[in-house]
C-alpha cells in the first residue's frame, strides 16, 4: 500500500486563524479524499480532491471554509479557514488503492482555542 | 444514499474470549464494497479487509474472520481468542462503485481486559 504522510501531525490554533494541512503520497494515485473525525465520533467525508480541478465537496462543507488544492497526483492540501473551537477534530487524508480500498494518512489533530 | 449501522457502541471482554462486531448496511447500488478498519488508541486508521458485493465468501485471517450475508445486508467481524492489543475502535464502511466515497458506521469500541 501507498505510504502517506501528513503535516503537521498536530497543532493548537487560535480562533479566527487558518491552518493548512499537507498530505503527501509516495506514489501517484488517482483519487484522494479528505475526512474529518470530530472528538469521539466517526469519520465524515469533507471532499474529494480532484487533480487539476476544483474539489468536490460533500453536503455541509463549503470551499470557502475548507479550500483544497491538488496540484499533482501525489500531493494535496486542506485549509481550515477562520477556525472556531467547533473545528477541533482530526483531519485525515486518504488515497484510493488498487482494489478500491482506501488507505489513510496518520491524521492531523487540530485544537482550536 | 448509502448508510452503515453499527448498533454496538462498546464491547468489553476478557482476554481469550471471542467478540463479534455487527455491521448492517444500506445501498441502492448493485456494485459496492464493504470494509473494516481498526483505529487503535494511537489514532491511525488501519485497513483490515475489503469485500465486494459479488463475493459472499467468508474470510479468515489469523484470529480475524468476516461473515458477509447479502440476504441480511450484514458484514460481521469476529475476533477469536481476543488479546489486549485488539483494544481499539472498529469501523465498518461502505463505498459504491460510481464514486468510491466511504460512508462509515459510528464505530464499536472494543476493550479487551487482561
Amino acid at each position: 500500500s501507498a505510504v502517506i504522510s501528513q503535516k503537521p501531525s498536530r497543532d493548537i490554533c487560535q480562533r479566527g486563524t487558518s491552518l493548512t494541512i499537507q498530505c503527501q503520497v509516495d506514489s501517484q494515485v488517482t483519487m484522494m479524499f479528505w475526512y474529518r473525525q470530530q472528538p469521539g465520533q466517526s469519520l465524515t467525508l469533507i471532499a474529494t480532491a480532484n487533480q487539476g480541478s476544483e474539489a468536490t465537496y460533500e453536503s455541509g462543507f463549503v470551499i470557502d471554509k475548507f479550500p483544497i488544492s491538488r496540484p499533482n497526483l501525489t500531493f494535496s492540501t486542506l485549509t481550515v479557514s477562520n477556525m472556531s473551537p467547533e473545528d477541533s477534530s482530526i483531519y485525515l487524508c486518504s488515497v484510493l488503492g488498487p482494489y478500491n480500498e482506501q488507505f489513510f494518512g496518520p491524521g492531523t489533530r487540530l485544537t482550536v482555542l | 444514499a448509502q448508510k452503515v449501522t453499527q448498533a454496538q457502541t462498546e464491547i468489553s471482554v476478557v482476554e481469550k474470549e471471542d467478540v463479534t462486531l455487527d455491521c448492517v448496511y444500506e445501498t441502492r447500488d448493485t456494485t459496492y464494497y464493504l470494509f473494516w478498519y481498526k483505529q487503535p488508541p494511537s489514532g491511525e486508521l488501519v485497513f483490515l479487509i475489503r469485500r465486494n458485493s459479488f463475493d459472499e465468501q467468508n474470510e479468515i485471517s489469523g484470529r480475524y474472520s468476516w461473515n458477509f450475508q447479502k440476504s441480511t445486508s450484514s458484514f460481521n467481524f469476529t475476533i477469536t481468542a481476543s488479546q489486549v492489543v485488539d483494544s481499539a475502535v472498529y469501523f465498518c464502511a461502505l463505498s459504491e462503485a460510481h464514486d468510491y466515497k466511504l460512508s462509515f458506521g459510528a464505530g464499536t469500541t472494543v476493550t479487551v481486559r487482561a
Side-chain angles (χ1 to χ4, degrees):
Chain A
S1 62
V3 176
I4 307 167
S5 60
Q6 284 186 236
K7 289 182 185 180
S9 57
R10 59 177 63 229
D11 207 341
I12 300 173
C13 300
Q14 297 298 319
R15 70 170 67 214
T17 63
S18 297
L19 176 72
T20 295
I21 302 167
Q22 299 179 5
C23 179
Q24 179 75 54
V25 191
D26 69 342
S27 58
Q28 293 186 342
V29 293
T30 54
M31 298 187 76
M32 294 180 74
F33 306 87
W34 286 97
Y35 291 81
R36 180 177 73 180
Q37 186 176 25
Q38 294 177 298
Q41 303 296 312
S42 184
L43 285 83
T44 301
L45 179 64
I46 298 172
T48 303
N50 300 310
Q51 195 266 326
S53 64
E54 194 171 285
T56 305
Y57 290 85
E58 297 302 300
S59 176
F61 298 96
V62 295
I63 187 171
D64 290 346
K65 177 67 176 177
F66 297 101
I68 288 171
S69 78
R70 190 173 173 199
N72 56 52
L73 294 177
T74 63
F75 186 77
S76 179
T77 67
L78 167 75
T79 298
V80 186
S81 302
N82 189 24
M83 289 183 285
S84 67
E86 292 71 37
D87 294 319
S88 297
S89 297
I90 300 174
Y91 292 87
L92 301 102
C93 67
S94 73
V95 303
L96 190 67
Y99 301 103
N100 303 319
E101 71 277 57
Q102 285 187 30
F103 297 104
F104 287 80
T108 295
R109 191 177 296 267
L110 172 62
T111 302
V112 183
L113 303 177
Chain B
Q2 63 212 60
K3 184 179 175 182
V4 178
T5 302
Q6 294 180 254
Q8 303 149 305
T9 305
E10 294 183 31
I11 299 176
S12 181
V13 297
V14 176
E15 214 170 14
K16 297 185 183 177
E17 286 185 354
D18 297 348
V19 56
T20 295
L21 310 180
D22 298 332
C23 174
V24 176
Y25 63 92
E26 294 177 31
T27 177
R28 293 181 181 176
D29 275 26
T30 55
T31 303
Y32 54 90
Y33 305 94
L34 295 163
F35 308 87
W36 278 95
Y37 287 86
K38 174 182 180 180
Q39 189 174 43
S42 53
E44 76 272 23
L45 209 61
V46 179
F47 166 74
L48 296 178
I49 190 170
R50 160 200 172 276
R51 262 289 175 264
N52 72 51
S53 52
F54 301 109
D55 183 3
E56 283 194 76
Q57 279 192 347
N58 293 328
E59 182 156 338
I60 298 175
S61 176
R63 295 183 297 105
Y64 294 170
S65 62
W66 292 269
N67 184 331
F68 175 27
Q69 292 195 337
K70 286 180 76 171
S71 61
T72 56
S73 297
S74 65
F75 186 43
N76 297 336
F77 172 30
T78 297
I79 304 172
T80 303
S82 60
Q83 300 177 0
V84 172
V85 294
D86 296 326
S87 296
V89 181
Y90 291 85
F91 292 100
C92 181
L94 177 147
S95 69
E96 295 167 340
H98 67 274
D99 62 18
Y100 304 110
K101 296 186 289 189
L102 277 175
S103 292
F104 283 84
T108 299
T109 300
V110 174
T111 302
V112 182
R113 309 185 309 276

